[in-house]
Amino acid sequence: MKLGLRLPQRLNVDLRHDVVWAARAAEAAGFASLWTYERLLFPADPVESYAGTDAPWPTHSRQAADPLAVLTAAAVVTETARLGTSVLVAGLHTPIQLAKALATVDQISGGRMIAGLGTGWSTDEFRAAGARRADRGPLLDETRDVLDAVWARDPVTFRSPHVIIDDAAVLPKPVAQMPVLLAGGGSLPDRSASKAMRRIAARADGWLPLLTEPGQAGATRLRTDWDRIRELAAERGRTPDAMEMIVVGNVTFTERSAGPDRPAFVGTFDQIVEDVHTAAEAGADELIVDLNLQDWFTSTPQMLETAVQIHERFVAA
C-alpha cells in the first residue's frame, strides 16, 4: 500500500508559500500522491451537523482553499506524485466547466490527475451553488456523463437534463484516460449493496471510502464491501483488477490512548499507525493521510513533520 497526503488548505496556512513547499517536501519524503478536499463555506447556523455525524461544524479550520487551484500549484513544483481530489462535490459545479478544469490541471501535471467525486451532503452548500440537495445523486450521474462526453474525441454532442452541447470542440482533453473515483458507498445494514456501491461498480475507476472502525472488524468490513463492489463491476463486464481502492484517513490525535470504541484514525500516534496497517490489511491500494482537522495545527512544517513520521513508521514495518 502506498501513502498519499492531503495538502494544507485551512486557516493558518500561507497559501502563497506553504502549498508549494508542502508539495515538494511530501514528494521528496516518498508520498505517492497529493490530495485536496472541497468545502465551499462554513455556515454559522448550519442546516445539518457535520458530514452526517453528530459533530458540530469545525471551528478551527473555517477555510478550505479551492482544491483545483491548490493542485495546480502542486502540479508545477512536483514531477511524479499523483494529484487527486477527495472529493469534489459534483452538484456544486457546472459539469462542462469542471471537465475543462480537471483536464487543464491534468495537462499542467503531465497526466497525473485523479478526479475524486462525491454526492455531497450539505444543504447550505447546495443552496449557495443554486442546486438542491435532493438532486445530488442525479447531479453526480450527469456530471459523470458529461466528463465521458467532453473528454472524448471532438466534436462533442451531448444532451442531458441540464447540459446541451451541439457539435462543439471542447478542449483541453486529459493527457490520457483520467481515473474517476467515487466516494460514499458501504453496504446496507442487511449487507446488501447500496445505491452508491452500485454506482461505483458501474461508473467509477475506483473507490474513496473512509475506514470507520479500527482493527480486524474495520478491515473485514471494508474488504467485504470492496469485494462486493468488484463483484458488481465484473457482473457488468468491467475489469475489477483495473479498479483501485484509496482509503481516506482523517486523523485526529488524542493525548491518551483512545478506548476500544474509538473511530478509526482517532487516537494516539501509535493507534493511528495501527489504523494505517488496518487499511493495508483491508486491501487498500493507497491511503490518504489527512492532518487538516488537527486542533494543534499551527504550521505547515509541523503538519508535514508528523506526516513524514507516520510514513516512516509504516514503511519501516
Side-chain angles (χ1 to χ4, degrees):
M1 184 182 76
K2 299 177 181 178
L3 294 186
L5 180 68
R6 270 212 181 124
L7 292 169
Q9 297 172 251
R10 52 165 285 173
L11 286 175
N12 303 319
V13 169
D14 177 354
L15 292 173
R16 183 178 181 186
H17 300 105
D18 285 11
V19 169
V20 296
W21 180 83
R24 283 195 186 106
E27 184 178 67
F31 283 94
S33 55
L34 304 171
W35 297 80
T36 55
Y37 65 98
E38 182 165 54
R39 186 89 285 126
L40 189 61
L41 45 75
F42 291 82
D45 185 20
V47 174
E48 296 101 356
S49 58
Y50 195 72
T53 69
D54 295 330
W57 283 59
T59 58
H60 57 272
S61 59
R62 288 180 175 263
Q63 168 181 291
D66 182 80
L68 292 181
V70 170
L71 285 182
T72 301
V76 174
V77 298
T78 57
E79 295 293 335
T80 60
R82 298 199 297 174
L83 307 169
T85 56
S86 176
V87 291
L88 296 176
V89 178
L92 305 183
H93 299 268
T94 302
I96 189 170
Q97 291 175 321
L98 182 60
K100 287 176 68 71
L102 288 165
T104 300
V105 180
D106 192 60
Q107 284 283 344
I108 292 170
S109 71
R112 292 182 281 141
M113 189 68 199
I114 305 168
L117 304 177
T119 56
W121 52 267
S122 170
T123 298
D124 295 282
E125 291 188 327
F126 282 110
R127 287 174 176 173
R132 297 195 315 154
R133 186 181 187 277
D135 296 332
R136 58 186 181 152
L139 288 171
L140 174 57
D141 291 333
E142 185 176 35
T143 296
R144 188 70 185 91
D145 291 337
V146 172
L147 295 182
D148 283 344
V150 167
W151 289 344
R153 184 177 300 176
D154 287 334
V156 175
T157 296
F158 178 84
R159 278 175 170 75
S160 69
H162 302 99
V163 180
I164 297 175
I165 307 172
D166 281 326
D167 196 27
V170 185
L171 296 168
K173 308 291 187 187
V175 173
Q177 182 175 348
M178 188 190 307
V180 177
L181 277 61
L182 297 181
S187 58
L188 299 172
D190 61 1
R191 306 304 293 162
S192 61
S194 66
K195 184 175 182 179
M197 291 175 72
R198 296 184 182 279
R199 179 185 286 118
I200 293 161
R203 303 298 309 276
D205 300 304
W207 186 29
L208 287 162
L210 294 170
L211 176 67
T212 57
E213 301 174 68
Q216 187 61 48
T220 299
R221 175 160 189 158
L222 191 59
R223 189 187 315 112
T224 299
D225 286 349
W226 180 227
D227 288 345
R228 182 60 177 139
I229 289 171
R230 287 160 53 88
E231 290 171 2
L232 291 169
E235 290 172 5
R236 289 161 172 77
R238 306 189 68 212
T239 306
D241 289 344
M243 302 174 70
E244 57 184 334
M245 176 170 64
I246 301 180
V247 175
V248 181
N250 297 320
V251 176
T252 299
F253 288 113
T254 59
E255 293 183 4
R256 298 179 180 179
S257 180
D261 295 331
R262 70 180 180 93
F265 294 104
V266 175
T268 63
F269 184 88
D270 287 342
Q271 287 178 313
I272 299 305
V273 173
E274 289 174 6
D275 293 338
V276 174
H277 287 284
T278 297
E281 184 181 348
D285 297 285
E286 202 159 329
L287 170 75
I288 302 169
V289 177
D290 181 9
L291 298 172
N292 278 274
L293 300 178
Q294 288 302 300
D295 287 328
W296 52 252
F297 189 125
T298 58
S299 72
T300 297
Q302 179 190 31
M303 180 274 288
L304 189 67
E305 179 183 4
T306 305
V308 170
Q309 290 173 354
I310 294 172
H311 188 280
E312 290 174 346
R313 279 280 296 273
F314 175 68
V315 171

